[in-house]
Amino acid sequence: AVVSTQSGHYGRADECNEKCGSQIIDGILLKIITCIMGLFAISLNSFVTVQNVESLNKCKTSVELWTKSLVALIGAGDLLVGLYLMLIFIADAVYGAGYCTSQAEWLSSMRCSSLGVLSTIGSQVSLFSMTALSIVRYRAVSSGKLPGPVTNKCIASIVGVVILIITVSSTIALIPLQPTFE
């Protein structure tokens, strides 16, 4: 059954109507915003991530090392989201107005699923890293003491938290792709 909506889009059960102009990204303004945000996210977060990673060996205190490590991880997560935006923008350009007839194929494709995984990992890495950074900053402020020096224990803790954030983020992104969840 075909149902017209206010936007002129024709909803369909298992068919596509020749009047359907549905695209992955509907509207020129949204396409422009997606492209600009993707480019900015990739370029600026690449810079932030590299700058923070390069300065890790110069950190004098544990709080400074935690902060720079987590800011680098936030940048990496946001970089993945920027990459997702650009890849969606490209997919939209490739499918164009023909998306309507290819929608079922696209939505069930590995490319679409991979983009969902990429977006979710990026978002979760940023979210968990910001949460960890808030905890580090809260502990530093509430302790009333000066931050301690960088120690092997501190480095091991940071590596463990980074691995945990990446593992949990990846798990959250990949679980929906398991056959039992489809």
Side-chain angles (χ1 to χ4, degrees):
V2 178
V3 179
S4 176
T5 64
Q6 284 183 326
S7 68
H9 175 75
Y10 289 79
R12 62 229 166 255
D14 290 328
E15 58 195 66
C16 189
N17 185 306
E18 67 278 348
K19 293 181 182 178
C20 176
S22 178
Q23 296 185 14
I24 293 174
I25 305 171
D26 281 325
I28 190 69
L29 182 61
L30 193 53
K31 292 175 193 297
I32 292 168
I33 291 170
T34 300
C35 182
I36 291 170
M37 293 299 291
L39 289 172
F40 273 127
I42 291 170
S43 59
L44 297 176
N45 285 297
S46 294
F47 176 77
V48 167
T49 302
V50 168
Q51 288 296 109
N52 277 281
V53 168
E54 286 179 346
S55 68
L56 289 177
N57 61 349
K58 298 174 189 158
C59 293
K60 302 291 185 217
T61 68
S62 58
V63 171
E64 182 182 16
L65 184 60
W66 271 103
T67 300
K68 288 194 179 289
S69 299
L70 291 169
V71 168
L73 200 53
I74 292 166
D78 290 347
L79 179 102
L80 291 178
V81 173
L83 182 60
Y84 159 78
L85 289 172
M86 288 309 301
L87 291 172
I88 284 290
F89 178 79
I90 291 167
D92 178 71
V94 168
Y95 280 96
Y99 171 70
C100 187
T101 57
S102 304
Q103 184 176 14
E105 176 190 331
W106 164 254
L107 292 174
S108 61
S109 74
M110 184 55 75
R111 290 179 304 246
C112 182
S113 295
S114 298
L115 290 180
V117 167
L118 182 68
S119 170
T120 303
I121 290 173
S123 299
Q124 294 303 310
V125 163
S126 290
L127 176 66
F128 291 136
S129 298
M130 285 187 282
T131 302
L133 182 59
S134 295
I135 293 167
V136 167
R137 305 304 286 172
Y138 172 77
R139 290 182 66 197
V141 170
S142 67
S143 74
K145 298 185 285 186
L146 291 174
V150 175
T151 62
N152 287 337
K153 182 180 175 186
C154 172
I155 293 169
S157 296
I158 292 170
V159 169
V161 167
V162 168
I163 290 170
L164 179 65
I165 288 171
I166 293 170
T167 302
V168 171
S169 298
S170 298
T171 302
I172 289 170
L174 293 169
I175 283 177
L177 297 182
Q178 300 309 306
T180 54
F181 292 99
E182 291 183 345

